[in-house]
């Protein structure tokens, strides 16, 4: 059950054996048909005291986190399995591909990243033209232009909740929240090399240490690039970033939709955010003709704009040089790769070892040509029968959610009718999108890893800019089919369940469905419920920012949320750190709702038949065990600390312990007062 040796390119699939249940090996014959990792359970732990360790205790003591990972669990196992499959597909497809074809582009993109000799030979040459442009910045208009040229579609406020970019600002093109028939450009704060403002401002000793190490990292990168006076420059670059951090909104503030939905006309920028030459900035960002924007964090945009006028140009040039190199380190010689890893992975995440080059190359190829790779992936690994089975399950989950809405005693008929309308118009994508993205405009050159990445990012940016002024396409996907994840698109009222998450141990054709309901079923329920949680309540069926709840219903929902937030605030992963109940509230509500709905859907799917017994466990027990095993995870301390600061989700352990909010869990495991996770019925927070 320990993690096996690392994969090598085209190596054996041994690494996937790290997940103890043989049924996790989709490619291997199932030698144990039961479908859960029963030997991974620790019978010495009482389920009512620590459900996470009861369900996973023996697995936790035996598993080790691979040296090139910051955490390890079924997500990572599936990600590695999927990466191996994709590497095989890319090589096979590229071998016979015509020049200019998608398969050829994928093959050339991947091969360029693997060509270490060419990368070493080129050194910093691929960045020379950009570095010269930075050297030539002689006034504030040129500075604004250089900053504008860095704007990319690299953030996502509501779907991925990817709120970090090291470019000065990030752009998200999405349907307008007041006018859902049209797209708007959302401008998001950025400019920091570390993950969040807390890393710059939190007085805790651990964060102070990160700051010292970050300054040393900046100096090393500059020195490697042959920039003189690296140490003094690093001090000034860091001071500039710290000033940017002071202007930033916190993660929690940035997640408040009503605070962020600020419409600015183009003419508002010089008045509301003086200091930056906005004409030059937007012209360089190819947004000169854009009249309206949504400015998500106005205080941050104003603060950063002021800094562009106050801070010496020389410091800005150093800042831009450093970030240009930092951002491209994956495509530069090994010394840059190693230094980037040393700070961003080893120090910030606690990961001891860099991932093998081929895996990094797969990640990059997925970023650049995601749907082209996805098309190959689903053709080989997502048979139509599995798509149909997943769609049927989604259908059952939606029906169970509808029944639950009808049963809610506290919900008024007016809110109930709106909720049912919203559920009826939910757009659920299973496996892959109906229409694939067109990459014909993307130029890929074999042997030019750095240039390929720059062109791919610009291609993606322009693809997003091209949406402005076009009707909103609700069938567009925001995740690649080969990604092990799932997402709710709250404004679009749509869900994406990528093909790669629809495989064992989440979704397994070889076991009793109760275990699928506890695993992927709870995830499907989780994503559905996001359309109806504190964020989902803000958007009506059309995606308009229009609270459709009566004030009494919303007050009830918020009171339940307060209680759930308090429950999570009480969890302490470290003596000096507790989980942030407020920051993780939406996700915690979604977990409880998803689990409850999945349970209902499973019961309904029995049509009165009796539940199965497998390995001596009842159907109800199997359901909750499958949930707990689907969230099993080992994580390094630094990574866990970082997650608590920046993540909207609670750590996996506490997501599992949320079973304590469901009456059915108490019945399934006979949990009585006195057990550590026991909550009196009135203290349980079912929300839905
Ligand atoms: Zn979620």
């Amino acid at each position: 059950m320990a993690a096996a040796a690392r994969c090598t390119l085209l190596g054996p699939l041994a690494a996937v054996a790290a997940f103890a249940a043989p049924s996790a090996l989709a490619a291997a014959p199932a030698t144990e048909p039961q479908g859960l990792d029963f030997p991974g359970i620790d019978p010495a732990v009482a389920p009512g005291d620590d459900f996470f360790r009861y369900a996973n205790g023996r697995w936790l003591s035996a598993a080790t986190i691979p040296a090139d990972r910051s955490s390890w669990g079924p997500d990572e196992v599936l990600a590695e399995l999927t990466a191996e499959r994709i590497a095989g597909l890319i090589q096979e497809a590229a071998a016979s591909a015509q020049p200019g074809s998608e398969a050829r582009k994928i093959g050339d993109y991947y091969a360029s990243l693997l060509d270490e000799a060419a990368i070493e030979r080129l050194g910093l040459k691929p960045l020379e033209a950009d570095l010269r442009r930075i050297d030539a910045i002689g006034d504030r208009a040129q500075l604004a232009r250089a900053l504008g040229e860095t704007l990319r579609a690299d953030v996502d406020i509501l779907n991925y909740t990817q709120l970090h970019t090291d470019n000065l600002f990030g752009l998200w093109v999405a349907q307008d929240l007041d006018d859902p028939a049209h797209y708007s450009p959302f401008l998001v704060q950025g400019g920091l090399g570390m993950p969040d403002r807390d890393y710059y401002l939190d007085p805790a000793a651990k964060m102070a240490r990160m700051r010292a190490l970050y300054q040393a990292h900046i100096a090393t990168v500059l020195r490697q690039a042959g920039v003189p006076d690296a140490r003094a420059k690093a001090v000034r670059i860091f001071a500039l970033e710290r000033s940017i951090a002071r202007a930033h909104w916190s993660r929690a503030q940035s997640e408040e939709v009503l605070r962020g939905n600020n419409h600015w006309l183009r003419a508002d920028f010089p008045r509301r955010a003086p200091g930056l030459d906005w004409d030059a900035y937007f012209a360089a960002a190819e947004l000169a003709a854009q009249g309206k924007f949504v400015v998500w964090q106005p205080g941050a945009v104003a603060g950063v704009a002021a800094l562009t006028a106050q801070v010496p140009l020389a410091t800005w040039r150093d800042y831009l040089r450093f970030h240009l190199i930092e951002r491209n380190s994956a495509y530069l010689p090994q010394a840059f790769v190693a230094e980037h890893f040393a700070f961003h992975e080893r120090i910030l995440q606690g990961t001891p070892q860099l991932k093998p080059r081929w895996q990094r190359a797969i990640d990059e190829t997925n970023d650049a040509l995601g749907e082209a790779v996805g098309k190959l992936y689903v053709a080989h690994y997502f048979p139509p029968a599995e798509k149909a089975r997943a769609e049927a399950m989604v259908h059952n989950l939606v029906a169970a959610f509808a029944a639950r809405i009808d049963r809610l005693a506290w919900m008024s008929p007016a809110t109930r009718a709106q909720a049912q309308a919203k559920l009826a118009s939910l757009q659920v994508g299973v496996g892959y999108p109906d229409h694939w993205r067109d990459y014909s405009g993307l130029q890929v050159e074999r042997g030019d890893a750095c240039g390929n990445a720059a062109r791919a990012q610009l291609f993606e940016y322009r693809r997003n800019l091209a949406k402005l002024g076009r009707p909103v396409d609700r069938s567009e996907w925001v995740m690649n089919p080969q990604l092990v994840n799932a997402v709710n698109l709250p404004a679009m009222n749509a869900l994406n369940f990528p093909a790669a998450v629809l495989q064992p141990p989440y979704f397994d054709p070889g076991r009793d469905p109760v275990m699928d309901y506890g695993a992927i079923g709870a995830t499907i329920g989780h994503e559905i419920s996001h359309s109806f949680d504190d964020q989902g309540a803000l958007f009506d069926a059309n995606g308009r920012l229009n609270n459709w709840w009566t004030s009494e219903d919303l007050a009830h929902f918020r009171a339940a949320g307060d209680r759930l937030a308090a429950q999570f605030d009480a969890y302490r992963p470290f003596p000096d750190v507790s989980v942030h109940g407020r920051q993780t509230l939406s996700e915690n509500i979604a977990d409880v709702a998803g689990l409850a709905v999945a349970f209902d859907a499973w019961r309904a799917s029995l049509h009165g038949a009796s539940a199965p017994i497998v390995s001596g466990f009842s159907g109800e027990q199997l359901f909750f065990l499958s949930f707990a095993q689907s969230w099993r995870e080992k994580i390094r301390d630094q990574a866990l600390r970082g997650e608590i600061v920046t993540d909207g989700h609670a750590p996996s352990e506490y997501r599992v312990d949320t079973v304590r909010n469901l009456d059915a869990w108490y019945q399934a495991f006979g949990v009585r007062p006195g057990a550590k996770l026991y909550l009196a019925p009135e203290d349980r927070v079912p929300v839905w």
Side-chain angles (χ1 to χ4, degrees):
M1 292 198 302
R6 316 300 316 116
C7 307
T8 49
L9 183 56
L10 299 179
L13 290 174
V16 293
F19 188 83
S23 70
L25 297 174
T31 51
E32 192 183 2
Q34 294 96 327
L36 285 184
D37 175 19
F38 296 109
I41 294 171
D42 186 349
V45 177
D49 282 344
D50 186 339
F51 195 61
F52 181 73
R53 278 186 186 71
Y54 167 70
N56 297 307
R58 286 193 174 160
W59 177 82
L60 284 165
S61 22
T64 45
I65 306 171
D68 60 357
R69 293 267 175 190
S70 61
S71 63
W72 190 242
D75 267 4
E76 289 76 19
V77 172
L78 283 185
E80 296 216 347
L81 171 66
T82 306
E84 287 217 24
R85 288 172 163 178
I86 289 171
L89 289 174
I90 289 178
Q91 287 177 343
E92 192 183 305
S96 57
Q98 295 299 311
S101 68
E102 249 177 29
R104 181 67 171 265
K105 284 180 190 183
I106 297 168
D108 286 350
Y109 200 95
Y110 181 63
S112 303
L113 289 159
L114 290 184
D115 189 354
E116 285 187 79
I119 290 172
E120 292 296 328
R121 201 167 50 239
L122 288 169
L124 279 178
K125 204 169 253 141
L127 300 181
E128 260 171 19
D130 287 330
L131 287 167
R132 268 201 301 275
R133 270 203 295 279
I134 293 170
D135 293 343
I137 295 172
D139 60 33
R140 302 284 164 180
Q142 286 168 347
L143 172 63
R145 215 167 294 135
L147 291 167
E149 281 169 4
T150 66
L151 190 65
R152 288 294 176 268
D154 55 1
V155 290
D156 178 327
I157 298 168
L158 293 176
N159 305 326
Y160 257 116
T161 56
Q162 159 53 24
L163 298 172
H164 178 265
T165 172
D166 75 328
N167 292 322
L168 196 66
F169 300 118
L171 195 78
W172 184 51
V173 177
Q175 69 186 92
D176 190 89
L177 306 183
D178 296 339
D179 176 14
H182 296 99
Y183 287 107
S184 273
F186 292 68
L187 202 63
V188 175
Q189 69 187 15
L192 302 181
M194 289 198 284
D196 186 87
R197 77 192 293 275
D198 278 10
Y199 283 76
Y200 294 82
L201 304 173
D202 187 331
K206 279 208 158 38
M207 290 300 200
R209 193 177 120 76
M210 295 292 178
R211 291 193 273 279
L213 291 167
Y214 182 49
Q215 286 190 57
H217 165 66
I218 299 172
T220 304
V221 171
L222 294 177
R223 220 173 282 125
Q224 283 176 336
V227 176
D229 208 9
R231 186 174 285 278
K233 283 175 179 161
V235 170
R236 290 195 289 269
I237 291 168
F238 177 78
L240 170 54
E241 288 195 24
R242 199 168 185 180
S243 303
I244 294 173
R246 282 200 192 94
H248 267 209
W249 282 17
S250 72
R251 171 92 201 189
Q253 285 173 316
S254 300
E255 284 181 358
E256 287 183 44
V257 174
L258 294 174
R259 280 175 93 127
N261 186 37
N262 307 290
H263 287 76
W264 287 21
L265 295 174
R266 175 62 191 79
D268 291 332
F269 281 82
R271 189 169 52 79
R272 299 175 75 166
L276 184 62
D277 183 335
W278 288 103
D279 283 339
Y281 181 87
F282 283 126
E286 305 181 11
L287 280 163
Q290 181 64 30
K292 290 182 199 165
F293 292 82
V294 177
V295 176
W296 200 254
Q297 301 112 332
V301 170
V304 170
L307 289 170
T308 64
Q310 292 157 4
V311 171
L313 283 178
T315 304
W316 279 109
R317 283 194 297 263
D318 291 335
Y319 168 91
L320 284 166
R321 264 182 217 113
F322 166 66
H323 279 285
L324 176 70
I325 297 164
E326 181 89 329
R327 203 175 297 131
N328 286 287
S329 58
Y331 326 112
L332 295 177
Q334 186 55 29
F336 292 94
V337 174
E339 176 55 28
H340 188 273
F341 170 79
F343 181 72
H344 289 276
E345 303 291 326
R346 189 178 296 140
I347 292 172
L348 288 183
Q349 301 289 325
T351 311
Q353 194 178 303
L354 184 63
K355 272 202 231 176
R357 179 167 279 272
W358 76 267
Q359 279 193 7
R360 286 178 276 135
I362 291 291
D363 291 346
E364 295 282 344
T365 309
N366 280 333
D367 275 353
L369 286 145
E371 290 198 2
V373 175
K375 205 190 288 182
L376 284 178
Y377 177 79
V378 301
H380 286 78
Y381 293 107
F382 192 59
E386 280 298 272
K387 181 169 161 71
R389 202 168 72 87
E391 280 169 345
M393 187 167 216
V394 169
H395 180 82
N396 291 350
L397 263 294
V398 169
F401 207 94
R404 216 158 235 279
I405 290 171
D406 277 340
R407 280 205 309 270
L408 281 180
W410 54 267
M411 191 175 261
S412 68
T415 307
R416 199 189 307 275
Q418 295 268 7
Q420 293 292 14
K422 193 169 177 185
L423 191 61
S425 72
L426 192 66
Q427 176 121 355
V428 185
V430 172
Y432 49 90
D434 293 340
H435 311 286
W436 295 103
R437 242 169 241 180
D438 175 11
Y439 293 97
S440 54
L442 175 60
Q443 189 200 340
V444 176
E445 280 177 32
R446 203 172 176 110
D448 185 13
C450 202
N452 287 341
R455 281 186 291 275
Q457 286 155 20
L458 187 59
F459 178 79
E460 173 63 6
Y461 180 63
R462 287 180 176 155
R463 187 184 74 81
N464 276 282
L465 293 190
K467 293 186 208 168
L468 296 168
R470 281 203 212 140
V472 170
D473 174 11
R474 282 183 69 212
S475 70
E476 187 191 347
W477 276 50
V478 302
M479 277 184 174
N480 290 329
Q482 66 276 30
L483 188 75
V484 183
N485 211 332
V487 68
N488 180 301
L489 290 60
M492 301 246 254
N493 195 25
L495 310 178
N496 295 169
F497 295 105
V501 81
L502 298 167
Q503 56 178 327
Y506 300 133
F507 190 59
D508 184 347
R511 66 184 179 187
D512 188 277
V514 64
M515 291 167 265
D516 282 354
Y517 277 97
I520 196 71
T523 298
I524 295 169
H526 171 114
E527 299 303 342
I528 294 173
S529 90
H530 273 314
S531 291
F532 305 90
D533 64 15
D534 53 335
Q535 296 239 333
L538 301 171
F539 300 97
D540 65 19
N542 299 315
R544 193 184 303 274
L545 194 53
N546 170 28
N547 196 325
W548 47 274
W549 291 53
T550 66
S551 50
E552 296 75 31
D553 290 338
L554 202 59
H556 178 98
F557 186 77
R558 293 223 164 108
D562 289 345
R563 289 162 60 215
L564 199 62
Q567 197 183 97
F568 277 76
D569 278 336
Y571 293 130
R572 284 194 164 272
F574 302 102
D576 61 330
V577 174
S578 61
V579 174
H580 300 164
R582 191 52 59 185
Q583 179 179 311
T584 57
L585 181 58
S586 291
E587 297 301 334
N588 295 333
I589 290 174
D591 280 343
V592 178
L595 194 61
V597 170
F599 190 80
D600 288 357
W602 166 62
R603 297 288 313 172
S605 76
L606 292 172
H607 297 293
S610 57
I613 291 177
V614 178
S615 268
F617 292 100
S618 71
E620 286 77 5
Q621 289 173 332
L622 292 167
F623 174 87
F624 288 109
L625 278 170
S626 185
F627 174 72
Q629 291 197 346
S630 78
W631 284 108
R632 61 172 39 170
E633 181 186 48
K634 280 188 95 145
I635 182 166
R636 299 184 193 280
D637 284 357
Q638 287 98 314
L640 181 54
R641 283 177 182 273
E643 195 177 290
I644 289 164
V645 174
T646 60
D647 203 324
H649 303 84
S652 299
E653 168 175 358
Y654 309 109
R655 298 184 72 171
V656 167
D657 286 344
T658 208
V659 292
R660 67 202 294 218
N661 291 301
L662 270 74
D663 295 343
W665 173 74
Y666 291 83
Q667 287 151 21
F669 291 93
V671 178
R672 312 229 167 278
K676 290 193 184 113
L677 289 176
Y678 180 84
L679 292 170
E682 64 274 18
D683 292 330
R684 297 172 198 165
V685 189
V687 188
W688 284 98

